[in-house]
Amino acid sequence: MFIAVAVFNFIYVLLSSASLPSNTLFDLFVGILKSDQEIMDSVKDDLKVVKERDPACISHVHCFLNFKGFLACQSHRVAHKLWLQGRKALAVMIQNRVFEIFAVGIHPGAKIGSRILLDHVTGLVVGETAVIGNNVSILHSMTLGGTGKASGDRNPKIGDGVLIDAGTCILGTLRLVFVLRLVLVLW
C-alpha cells in the first residue's frame, strides 16, 4: 500500500490546479485507494513492468518521479473509477488535467488492464470504449480511436501481451490479440 500511496501523493500534487485543488484531489485519491485493492495492485504491477521492460528506467523511484506514461496511467485509474461511479464531470476534469500536464489523452471510460507500459507517451489518445488488456506495451503518438460520429462501442480492443509501436493509429472496433509493430522508414 505504501507504494500506491506514495505514487498518488506525487500525482495529486502534479495535477492540482485552481479548478482541482490539491486537498480535493488528495481526498479523492485516498478514498479510491482505500476502496479499491485492484488499483493498488495495478500500481505495483505497472511499476514493476516499467522497470523490467524499459532499459532507461534505473529504479522504481525513478519511474514514479519521472515517467509520465506511468503517472498518466495511474491518474487514468482514478478517473476511470470516478467514471464508473457516475462522477463523470470530475473524471473528465482529471482527464483534461492529465492531458495538460502529460500530453496524454485517455478517456476516463476506457478500460485498462494491469502490467501496462506506456513509454514516451506524448500524443497518446485512447477513446471512451477502448479496452487495453494486461501486459500491454504502448509507445508514443498512438491512437486507439473511433471512425467518426458512430455511437456505441466504437473503439479498438487490445488483447493481452500486445506491443503497439510508435506512431500507430488503430481506428474502429478492431480486436488485436497479437504483437503489432509497424516500422516506417523514411529515405
Side-chain angles (χ1 to χ4, degrees):
M1 177 165 170
F2 173 75
I3 292 170
V5 171
V7 167
F8 283 110
N9 273 325
F10 185 66
I11 291 172
Y12 87 77
V13 171
L14 289 175
L15 296 183
S16 64
S17 67
S19 60
L20 285 171
S22 61
N23 59 338
T24 300
L25 287 173
F26 174 80
D27 292 342
L28 274 173
F29 285 24
V30 167
I32 287 172
L33 280 176
K34 285 181 178 177
S35 70
D36 197 322
Q37 183 64 41
E38 186 177 335
I39 289 178
M40 293 193 346
D41 292 342
S42 291
V43 171
K44 290 185 282 187
D45 290 344
D46 292 348
L47 194 59
K48 289 176 189 173
V49 156
V50 172
K51 178 72 174 91
E52 289 169 10
R53 292 185 202 157
D54 190 340
C57 184
I58 56 178
S59 71
H60 294 105
V61 172
H62 178 233
C63 173
F64 91 68
L65 291 178
N66 299 295
F67 283 50
K68 69 181 187 174
F70 172 77
L71 297 169
C73 185
Q74 305 324 309
S75 301
H76 168 75
R77 294 187 190 290
V78 171
H80 182 68
K81 181 71 172 186
L82 293 168
W83 184 265
L84 294 177
Q85 293 173 347
R87 301 165 78 183
K88 294 183 178 186
L90 186 54
V92 170
M93 286 178 72
I94 290 172
Q95 173 212 1
N96 287 332
R97 190 69 179 139
V98 167
F99 184 78
E100 290 172 3
I101 301 298
F102 303 122
V104 173
I106 306 172
H107 191 284
K111 296 176 186 153
I112 297 180
S114 66
R115 298 186 52 79
I116 302 299
L117 169 64
L118 302 179
D119 192 22
H120 300 287
V121 293
T122 299
L124 174 73
V125 176
V126 179
E128 176 184 4
T129 62
V131 175
I132 298 172
N134 299 313
N135 297 309
V136 172
S137 297
I138 298 174
L139 304 183
H140 64 280
S141 299
M142 193 280 303
T143 301
L144 293 176
T147 56
K149 293 205 173 239
S151 60
D153 189 5
R154 62 195 178 278
N155 298 120
K157 310 301 179 248
I158 307 303
D160 296 342
V162 174
L163 165 66
I164 302 175
D165 216 342
T168 303
C169 185
I170 305 167
L171 302 176
T173 56
L174 300 168
R175 295 190 185 282
L176 299 177
V177 293
F178 56 88
V179 173
L180 176 64
R181 189 165 189 114
L182 301 176
V183 180
L184 299 175
V185 178
L186 300 176
W187 295 96

